[in-house]
Amino acid sequence: MSDAAPPSRPAAAARTRPTIRARVVRIFDHADDTRSLFLAPTAAAMPRYLPGMFISIAIALGGETRVRPYTIASSPEDGTPFEICFNRVPGGAGAAWLFARALGDEIEFTGPFGAFALERAPAAETIFIAEGTAIAPIRPMVRRALAGAHRNAITLLYGADRAAHILYRAEFEQLATEHAQFHFVPSAGGPDADAAYVRLIDEARRRWVAGDADRSRHFYLCGVGPRVLELRDLLRGAGYERRAVHYEQW
Ligand SMILES: Cc1cc2nc3c(=O)[nH]c(=O)nc-3n(C[C@H](O)[C@H](O)[C@H](O)COP(=O)(O)OP(=O)(O)OC[C@H]3O[C@@H](n4cnc5c(N)ncnc54)[C@H](O)[C@@H]3O)c2cc1C
């Protein structure tokens, strides 16, 4: 969820948008529990969307159709197929359904939707912070920000419980060699994703709260559960403008 997109919004918006069918044309396993599907719409063209937006996928569960949001992890400029990236969730029926999709299977979705999006880089230093698969909206945002004319510093603070859960590492390392303004700060280790997020919060506090009195930075935060809100509140409470701290909680 984000400030402008409360939890009920995907379901409400889904009712007013046409359904799009897409075929699974490629499957890539990042780790034993983390996968990307590459999806090609079968008829309708993909509507225009911004980096960070998600699609609402119809998932058949126990005789009912449920809707789950999944972020487009590729960039609009990449065209189709587009990519979604997800991980197994303990007891998570939606994630298990996605893992059961095979090459050639078709899925249905509405969208793209979402207010946690970046059309162009803010005219200020920009910090992206994510854990695990919550890199999905951040990856196309970072690419879009680096494609812009601004030369303000851009930092990606990216954490996970283990190295295999730092996704797209080679791509971010390559971007850091190509763009002097881009700083890629991965950190892996610890018992679980929650501990990894606590480490991200501590690092953000050290660098951008205790580190100096500059409060002109913009932040884009994504992750699972209440730690995202803890980080949001830390930054806003430290004096960053409310509208400069963008976030999405899964
Ligand atoms: C705007 C938005 C975009 C999203 N984009 C993605 C995406 O790109 N990739 C993705 O994997 N998930 C994404 N999610 C989460 C996804 O929609 C599902 O909630 C997730 O796959 C679990 O669904 P489920 O039916 O398997 O489990 P449920 O039984 O519905 O379990 C939900 C529980 O799982 C937690 N949860 C949600 N996502 C994760 C996760 N990735 N890992 C561990 N726990 C999780 C929730 O906080 C909640 O407590 C997004 C959520 C939102 C709101």
Side-chain angles (χ1 to χ4, degrees):
M1 84 184 75
S2 66
D3 269 357
S8 59
R9 185 166 172 157
R15 285 195 292 274
T16 62
R17 289 287 192 105
T19 297
I20 297 175
R21 293 182 71 81
R23 185 171 295 122
V24 178
V25 297
R26 186 180 164 220
I27 296 173
F28 176 77
D29 284 327
H30 299 266
D32 53 0
D33 59 355
T34 308
R35 171 170 287 184
S36 279
L37 295 183
F38 293 78
L39 301 168
T42 55
M46 189 68 176
R48 185 177 171 275
Y49 65 96
L50 294 175
M53 287 186 169
F54 63 88
I55 56 172
S56 290
I57 300 183
I59 295 182
L61 293 180
E64 296 181 38
T65 300
R66 303 280 180 84
V67 174
R68 293 279 186 280
Y70 289 92
T71 307
I72 302 176
S74 47
S75 294
E77 296 76 23
D78 294 339
T80 55
F82 66 89
E83 178 181 355
I84 60 169
C85 166
F86 49 91
N87 58 283
R88 289 194 189 278
V89 175
W97 184 91
L98 272 184
F99 267 94
R101 295 312 94 194
L103 276 181
D105 283 356
E106 290 187 6
I107 64 153
E108 288 187 349
F109 68 87
T110 54
F113 306 113
F116 183 66
L118 183 144
E119 184 156 21
R120 66 183 70 86
E125 181 181 352
T126 305
I127 321 292
F128 298 93
I129 304 179
E131 188 281 325
T133 48
I135 197 68
I138 301 295
R139 179 195 186 207
M141 288 182 178
V142 167
R143 288 166 154 193
R144 175 64 65 90
L146 289 172
H150 290 304
R151 290 293 166 263
N152 300 303
I154 295 173
T155 301
L156 169 59
L157 197 60
Y158 184 19
D161 56 346
R162 56 187 164 107
H165 289 160
I166 298 286
L167 313 181
Y168 311 107
R169 178 191 282 268
E171 177 181 310
F172 291 126
E173 287 173 348
Q174 180 64 28
L175 286 172
T177 65
E178 290 169 2
H179 299 268
Q181 86 218 77
F182 179 52
H183 309 283
F184 174 46
V185 187
S187 78
D192 54 28
D194 186 64
Y197 218 97
V198 170
R199 205 168 53 242
L200 291 175
I201 294 172
D202 288 345
E203 188 61 19
R205 183 185 291 107
R206 191 182 69 76
R207 287 174 176 247
W208 300 299
V209 174
D212 61 28
D214 181 0
R215 294 297 182 262
S216 67
R217 301 178 180 96
H218 283 235
F219 292 85
Y220 290 81
L221 323 171
C222 192
V224 174
R227 295 287 183 198
V228 184
L229 308 185
E230 191 180 324
L231 179 52
R232 174 203 65 184
D233 293 344
L234 168 73
L235 295 169
R236 289 179 175 173
Y240 289 100
E241 274 188 49
R242 186 182 166 80
R243 63 179 181 82
V245 182
H246 311 259
Y247 70 100
E248 185 169 78
Q249 182 197 16
W250 293 358

